[in-house]
Amino acid sequence: MIKQERAARTREALLLAAAGEFRRHGYDKAKLSVISAEAGVSSGALHFHFESKAALAEALRNEASHSLRRAARLVHGRRTSALQALVDVSHTLADLLRRSSVVRAGFVLSCETEPDTGLNLRQEWQRCVQQLLAEADDERTLAQSVTQQHMASALVASTVGYEMLSRSNPEWLSCVTLTAFWELLLPTLATAQTLARLDPAGTDAAHRASASATATALRTGCAPAPVSPSAP
């Protein structure tokens, strides 16, 4: 049991160190020697857990995938409508990306490298947006002027843009920033009757899901990412 706990702590330390190294230098320039040194372990210990840099990057992608999918499932299970679920999921995922350096690194790696698994979390986010917009259309809560394909493209481009901007200033993914985004967009997206029932800041259920997802991420070795005090 003690050996298993020690191995788990070593793996978590390596993931945290790798997240920082990949964030600073990118995948190609990241060095395993730096990662092992920052994790406080030997090169042999690193290779015991991860046989190569590619394997380490894949582990980060998988950590991000599991955390983000779990967060989305938590929100979807407590949803009131498709459009509110879309708002809530965006808040939950943004909070997780902002607070977890491992999830952030895995997300960026899944979008900017070509893993053998074909995992791309940005594409998964696009499919999630498309599905929720289709469900909103079935619920007749979309404004008549809305074209699903065009709106999905605009939503994905905007939210992905926030993620990229947040790499130098995490406040781009803050609740305040995202709430302002939805306050601008929802009057165009939703019918007047639906708009009155939507909360651009996210529902209490979404914030509980975010807290649960973040707590789980922290327990599996995803440390909070540094947060800048300045607003975008």
Side-chain angles (χ1 to χ4, degrees), residues 17 33 45 57 84 124 130 152 169 195 206 215-216:
S33 58
Q84 187 62 63
E124 289 194 14
Q130 291 170 337
N169 182 356
L195 183 62
T216 300

Side-chain angles (χ1 to χ4, degrees), residues 81 83 140-142 190-198:
S81 70
L83 287 183
R140 301 184 183 279
T141 55
L142 288 183
T191 64
Q193 183 178 7
T194 302
L195 183 62
R197 301 194 300 268
L198 297 176

Side-chain angles (χ1 to χ4, degrees), residues 36-74:
S36 61
E38 290 192 358
V41 303
S42 66
S43 176
L46 184 153
H47 286 285
F48 174 81
H49 289 276
F50 306 102
E51 63 180 13
S52 64
K53 184 164 68 171
L56 187 51
E58 186 63 20
L60 284 170
R61 284 191 288 263
N62 287 332
E63 289 284 349
S65 174
H66 294 156
S67 295
L68 294 172
R69 289 174 181 174
R70 181 178 184 276
R73 285 196 301 270
L74 286 171

